[in-house]
Amino acid sequence: MTEPQNTTHYATSTRVIGVVWTVIALLLLADVLLRGEGRMAWIAGAFLVASIAGVYLVWLRPRVVSTERGIRVVNPLREVFVPWSAVSWIDVVDVLRVHTSAGPVRSWPLRESKRSKVRENLRRDAGHIDTDVDDDPTQARPVDLMARDLRRDAERYKARPLSGPIRDAAEAGPAAVGAEDRPQVMVPVEVIVVLSLTAALLVAVFLLA
């Protein structure tokens, strides 16, 4: 059985910042565990752990994945799977949007950071009007190129759709299981686990330390 051909899009800058802060926080945490004493050391350690969890959810985890079955939009707290049959258009205003009959799905990590470009995009948002990416890709913004690639994926996969419901989370993510022709939204187990453990740690430290 061949592995699914997935393409992952994410914001490189936030990934780099997230990795850098995680490394710094781990070093600080090690220092606190080795040399810290008393209640303040426990509180500092708990906040460092909480910051690592927050960075993971907000900066490291979010991404958009193009799969053979559809688009997997991973945001900090929610994950949305949009089957290719439900995709009507993909564009960029302040963030990348996947348009569906149920409304647009907005991507947290893929966003336009240049204010003038956001204003231009908003002026073009009267209808589903394509950008000029194909005319001159060298002048295109990174998120515009990602939107173009996703539109091309939509055209390609719609031309030869895979039939039947999705039964394996490894194929297109947990939100895709059972999906057929409509977007599906879920809060992944890993998000619940990370938030629950972080909250439990903070409560325990403040009550017991």
Side-chain angles (χ1 to χ4, degrees):
M1 182 176 179
T2 59
E3 292 292 327
Q5 300 299 311
N6 298 341
T7 303
T8 302
H9 303 275
Y10 54 84
T12 303
S13 59
T14 55
R15 282 278 177 107
V16 171
I17 294 172
V19 170
V20 170
W21 171 248
T22 300
V23 172
I24 293 173
L26 288 173
L27 292 175
L28 292 173
L29 182 60
D31 183 65
V32 168
L33 293 176
L34 291 173
R35 300 196 297 176
E37 294 181 0
R39 186 170 186 267
M40 292 308 298
W42 281 100
I43 292 175
F47 272 109
L48 285 170
V49 172
S51 74
I52 294 172
V55 164
Y56 169 72
L57 292 177
V58 176
W59 286 347
L60 298 179
R61 181 177 176 275
R63 60 197 183 277
V64 173
V65 185
S66 173
T67 77
E68 293 182 331
R69 294 284 200 153
I71 300 178
R72 181 185 178 191
V73 181
V74 182
N75 287 332
L77 300 181
R78 298 195 312 166
E79 180 167 327
V80 185
F81 178 77
V82 185
W84 290 119
S85 60
V87 176
S88 59
W89 189 249
I90 301 165
D91 65 4
V92 180
V93 282
D94 56 331
V95 296
L96 183 141
R97 304 182 303 178
V98 180
H99 293 269
T100 75
S101 59
V105 176
R106 294 168 61 86
S107 165
W108 167 273
L110 304 185
R111 56 182 59 246
E112 176 54 65
S113 58
K114 192 174 181 181
R115 291 185 179 181
S116 60
K117 182 62 175 175
V118 172
R119 290 194 294 269
E120 177 187 334
N121 291 341
L122 291 171
R123 288 195 297 268
R124 299 173 66 93
D125 195 37
H128 293 170
I129 303 172
D130 200 354
T131 63
D132 296 326
V133 174
D134 294 323
D135 295 336
D136 189 2
T138 61
Q139 299 299 316
R141 303 281 294 170
V143 71
D144 286 326
L145 293 174
M146 293 177 191
R148 180 203 63 180
D149 291 342
L150 289 169
R151 289 195 296 269
R152 290 179 174 178
D153 287 346
E155 293 175 0
R156 181 169 73 253
Y157 288 123
K158 280 184 177 182
R160 49 180 182 83
L162 299 177
S163 61
I166 300 170
R167 304 186 186 281
D168 186 359
E171 184 178 353
V177 176
E180 294 187 359
D181 58 359
R182 291 182 59 83
Q184 291 197 157
V185 185
M186 72 172 296
V187 178
V189 173
E190 64 177 300
V191 172
I192 297 173
V193 170
V194 169
L195 291 176
S196 299
L197 292 179
T198 303
L201 174 64
L202 292 173
V203 170
V205 167
F206 277 99
L207 291 180
L208 303 176

